[in-house]
């Protein structure tokens, strides 16, 4: 999620993360290693394949 800065984020443990950048990317997927900021970890996630419809499954 992109947010116009400067930004202060109160984290779950009560600490405050601050950024003076003009635009900040906040992590909403919780995969980032630098929470609350986004480090694009979500990009490595592979989408699960959808299961085949029953009519297309091979049963033996």
């Amino acid at each position: 999620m992109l947010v116009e800065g400067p930004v202060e984020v109160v984290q779950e443990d009560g600490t405050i993360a601050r950024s003076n950048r003009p635009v900040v990317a906040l992590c909403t997927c919780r995969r980032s290693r630098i929470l609350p900021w986004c480090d694009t970890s979500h990009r490595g996630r592979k989408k699960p394949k959808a299961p085949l419809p029953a009519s297309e499954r091979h049963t033996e």
Side-chain angles (χ1 to χ4, degrees):
M1 173 187 320
L2 295 178
V3 178
E4 289 187 32
V7 175
E8 287 188 357
V9 177
V10 179
Q11 300 182 81
E12 290 178 5
D13 65 359
T15 59
I16 298 174
R18 293 181 176 89
S19 176
N20 290 321
R21 293 177 164 223
V23 177
V24 177
L26 295 176
C27 176
T28 59
C29 72
R30 312 233 0 126
R31 296 175 201 271
S32 176
R33 293 183 184 154
I34 57 170
L35 287 172
W37 318 119
C38 177
D39 68 0
T40 68
S41 291
H42 60 274
R43 290 184 184 171
R45 179 176 174 220
K46 304 262 187 215
K47 291 184 180 180
K49 290 185 178 180
L52 289 174
S55 61
E56 294 182 29
R57 291 185 201 146
H58 295 282
T59 57
E60 294 179 25

